């Protein structure tokens, strides 16, 4: 069995049973691996109506067929479960080393089921799999827990949750290597609901490659394309994802003060250029990554530095809160990692709270501290993150996310979210295709389900007019389907700035011994997208939720290069449904499902 290790590990935390199962190779090829195969495995076993925190819910940790190979960025993994934040299918992606080492331990996936009676962690050392007590780890921040586990299991890669996951915050992340996050959709809370603190993995096994020499040639070609590309070979290695701060701000789509504005006059203070000049110690690449967008930065938390913030994190703790202080952002990023919080949802919830305070819904009397939730108040950020992560006082309400916070006060429209998941750092009023992608994303507000910033802002693979609606439904579908493929291979989405469907097909073919075309892999991506849609429909997620916050549909951008624009979703959505082969109500037709092999 080329590419795959051929084994699935199943761990039942209720009965303490550990078993292995053979991977169905034909099923694996149909859904590739990672996000696609993980979703299929999960859906075959779990009722979409399940309570995300019930023992009957399961979690799938899964790598892809290119994970742990010599392919560029081949180290990522997915976490698939039902999201407690959205009620949608959750498939959260993380980099670092852990995903590759799961494969080196001999497994393509782990299925976690049941619930432990007391806190535990799972230790995996190839065929040796143990469920071990974790009472001494429970309540620990990510760094301390990871260090303790590294002492207990030398040479292992550590995946863990922080206090936010233990306390079932709907925005809790899963952390690996201390500063890499499967961040979105609250997957850390599902892990916490099972009293599972961590999973450690190590091993020396390697997947068998169908055509070693062919893979060397394709890998060399792809690495050259990545190096020659202006984004993957220039901007990202030099400035990290923070290279986007000035670019997005200059287009007037840098959401400011909870999306009330689109330009931040002080954004340069948190730009990639500023980080590189004043704070950068070194690049911090993931497994087998030639891009190296990760940052290692100066901080008073450690003389050796800490993992630095990504673009989304820089935006959400700066422009979205009206602050623009790099040290505040670095500190906020650190505490999100320690607590195990998704930085986007945590910051966006603070932004919503600050607008609720601005408009009089949250008052000083409601807050249990003297630190007010006010735009521009830098002191409030880390203070309330800690309250949020530990669910203390008013922080307990914040821990539920911006939608539930705003809905508590009867004004859900002040949550800048889709399907209850907070939007990232691009205002769709000035990026029409991206807005369509937001609205139709299968996991709620998300930029990495179809990154239309690439053509609409960066001009890759070609420059599109960001205001023009023409053909945006086609671009949205193609980008969504291709992203589903990339997430299923075990590679990083950033490779798509330079590579196309044919390159992913070539790498898969050399590893698996298949003869896929670009059209074949895109069809697999479409299959995965429709499978996720079916789960959401069965879970009760109505197509009526394929929408955007009212502000973005009704309130024109007040200033800057996008002044006067709203998002025109009402014109784009019917075209998108038609392009997908769905009916006018946004439901996949039997004809399309039959074509995709989903009936």
């Amino acid at each position: 069995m080329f590419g795959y290790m051929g084994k699935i590990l199943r761990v039942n935390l209720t009965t303490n049973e550990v078993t292995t199962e053979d991977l169905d190779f034909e099923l694996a090829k149909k859904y590739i691996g990672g996000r696609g195969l993980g979703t299929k495995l999960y859906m075959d076993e779990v009722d979409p109506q399940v309570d995300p925190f019930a023992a009957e819910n399961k979690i799938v940790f899964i790598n892809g067929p290119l994970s742990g190979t010599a392919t560029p960025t081949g180290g990522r993994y997915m976490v698939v479960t039902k999201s407690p934040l959205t009620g949608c299918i959750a498939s959260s992606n993380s980099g670092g080393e852990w995903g590759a080492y799961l494969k080196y331990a001999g497994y393509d996936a782990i299925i976690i089921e049941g619930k432990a009676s007391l806190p535990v962690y799972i230790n995996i050392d190839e065929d040796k799999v143990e469920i071990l007590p974790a009472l001494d780890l429970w309540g620990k921040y990510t760094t301390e827990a990871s260090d303790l586990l590294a002492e207990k299991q030398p040479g292992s890669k550590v995946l863990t949750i922080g206090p936010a996951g233990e306390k079932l915050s709907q925005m809790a992340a899963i952390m690996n290597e201390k500063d890499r996050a499967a961040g979105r959709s609250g997957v850390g809370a599902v892990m916490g609901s099972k009293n599972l603190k961590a999973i450690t993995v190590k091993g020396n096994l390697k997947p068998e490659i169908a055509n070693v020499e062919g893979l060397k040639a394709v890998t060399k070609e792809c690495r050259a394309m990545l190096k020659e590309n202006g984004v993957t070979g220039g901007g990202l290695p030099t400035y990290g994802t923070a290279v986007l701060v000035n670019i997005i701000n200059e287009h007037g789509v840098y959401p400011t003060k909870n999306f009330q504005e689109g330009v931040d006059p002080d954004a340069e203070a948190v730009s990639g250029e500023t980080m590189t000049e004043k704070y950068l110690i070194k690049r911090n690449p993931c497994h087998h990554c030639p891009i190296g967008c990760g940052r290692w930065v100066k901080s008073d938390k450690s003389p050796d530095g800490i993992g630095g913030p990504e673009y989304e994190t820089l935006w959400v703790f700066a422009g979205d809160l009206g602050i623009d202080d790099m040290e505040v952002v670095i500190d906020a990023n650190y505490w999100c990692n320690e607590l195990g919080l998704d930085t986007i949802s945590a910051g966006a919830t603070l932004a919503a709270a600050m607008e609720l305070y601005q408009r009089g819904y949250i008052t000083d009397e409601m807050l249990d501290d003297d630190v007010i939730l006010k735009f521009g108040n830098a002191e409030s950020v880390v203070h309330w993150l800690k309250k949020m992560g530990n669910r203390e006082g008013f922080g307990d309400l914040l821990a539920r996310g911006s939608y539930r916070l705003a809905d508590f006060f009867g004004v859900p429209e002040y949550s800048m979210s889709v399907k209850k998941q907070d939007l990232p750092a691009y205002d769709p009023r000035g990026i029409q295709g991206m807005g369509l992608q937001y609205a139709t994303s299968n996991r709620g507000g998300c930029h990495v389900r179809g990154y239309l910033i690439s053509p609409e802002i960066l001009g890759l693979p070609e420059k599109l007019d960001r205001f023009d609606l023409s053909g945006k439904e086609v671009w949205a579908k193609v980008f969504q389907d291709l992203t589903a493929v990339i997430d299923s291979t075990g590679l990083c989405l950033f490779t798509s700035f330079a590579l196309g469907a044919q390159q992913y097909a070539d790498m898969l073919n050399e590893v698996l011994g298949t003869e896929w075309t670009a059209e074949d892999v895109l069809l697999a991506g479409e299959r995965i997208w429709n499978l996720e849609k079916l789960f959401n429909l069965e879970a009760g997620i109505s197509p009526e939720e394929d929408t955007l916050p009212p502000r973005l549909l009704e309130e024109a951008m007040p200033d800057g290069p996008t002044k006067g624009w709203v998002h025109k979703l009402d014109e784009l959505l019917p075209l998108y449904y038609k392009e997908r082969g769905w009916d006018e109500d946004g439901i996949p037709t039997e004809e399309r499902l039959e074509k995709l092999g989903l009936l």
Side-chain angles (χ1 to χ4, degrees), residues 139-376:
K140 303 290 188 189
Y141 290 139
T142 296
T143 294
E144 185 177 3
S146 297
D147 288 342
L148 288 169
L149 285 162
E151 291 176 10
K152 293 172 185 282
Q153 308 297 340
S156 293
K157 300 299 178 182
V158 178
L159 172 153
T160 187
I161 57 171
E166 297 170 4
K167 296 177 185 294
L168 310 189
S169 167
Q170 283 94 336
M171 65 178 81
I174 294 173
M175 308 300 300
N176 57 281
E177 287 87 62
K178 300 179 184 178
D179 69 335
R180 305 295 186 183
R184 309 230 65 195
S185 303
V187 292
V190 180
M191 198 166 152
S193 74
K194 297 185 174 301
N195 280 328
L196 178 59
K197 177 66 174 180
I199 305 175
T200 56
V201 295
K202 70 177 177 180
N204 294 298
L205 305 175
K206 295 293 171 68
E208 189 174 353
I209 306 301
N211 186 347
V212 174
E213 293 305 314
L215 181 61
K216 286 180 181 178
V218 169
T219 297
K220 182 178 180 181
E221 175 190 352
C222 291
R223 284 179 174 268
M225 293 173 71
L226 291 166
K227 185 176 181 179
E228 292 164 7
N229 180 270
V231 175
T232 55
L236 288 174
T238 304
Y239 300 113
T241 56
V243 69
L244 287 166
V245 171
N246 285 330
I247 295 171
I248 301 302
N249 195 47
E250 288 164 3
H251 283 79
V253 289
Y254 186 72
T256 304
K257 297 180 181 178
N258 203 34
F259 286 73
Q260 294 185 70
E261 302 164 12
V263 176
D264 180 358
D266 300 313
E268 173 64 31
V270 295
S271 68
E273 292 82 352
T274 298
M275 184 190 296
T276 300
E277 178 186 351
K278 297 182 178 181
Y279 297 93
L280 183 67
I281 296 174
K282 61 181 180 179
R283 290 162 61 190
N284 185 28
C286 295
H287 189 78
H288 282 179
C289 179
I291 302 170
C293 70
R295 308 287 94 175
W296 197 256
V297 298
K298 300 173 185 176
S299 168
D300 59 7
K301 299 296 183 293
S302 170
D304 299 323
I306 61 174
E310 303 290 342
Y311 165 65
E312 312 294 332
T313 307
L314 285 157
W315 154 74
V316 82
F317 290 118
D320 208 30
L321 303 185
I323 292 173
D324 295 311
D325 185 323
M326 183 70 81
E327 293 184 8
V328 170
V329 176
I330 289 173
D331 213 20
N333 184 65
Y334 170 82
W335 280 106
C336 283
N337 290 345
E338 288 293 280
L339 293 158
L341 286 169
D342 169 30
T343 59
I344 296 176
S345 285
T349 299
L350 292 181
M354 288 177 177
E355 183 167 3
L356 291 170
Y357 183 89
Q358 171 191 335
R359 299 186 182 280
Y361 293 98
I362 294 175
T363 65
D364 292 339
E365 292 73 27
M366 294 177 186
L367 305 179
D368 49 4
D369 298 270
D370 294 329
V371 181
I372 60 173
L373 283 161
K374 183 178 181 180
F375 287 119

Side-chain angles (χ1 to χ4, degrees), residues 443-502:
R443 72 166 184 173
C446 178
H447 58 301
V448 290
R449 281 297 181 266
Y451 195 65
L452 285 165
I453 297 303
S454 189
E456 291 188 290
I457 299 293
L458 302 177
L460 296 170
E462 64 181 81
K463 190 74 170 77
L464 301 181
D465 183 333
R466 61 194 179 98
F467 296 113
D468 189 0
L469 306 188
S470 302
K472 292 297 173 67
E473 74 280 4
V474 178
W475 282 90
K477 177 184 180 298
V478 169
F479 266 62
Q480 288 172 340
D481 292 349
L482 181 60
T483 300
V485 171
I486 299 166
D487 285 346
S488 300
T489 64
L491 299 186
C492 175
L493 179 61
F494 288 172
T495 56
S496 65
F497 288 122
L499 309 182
Q502 187 59 58

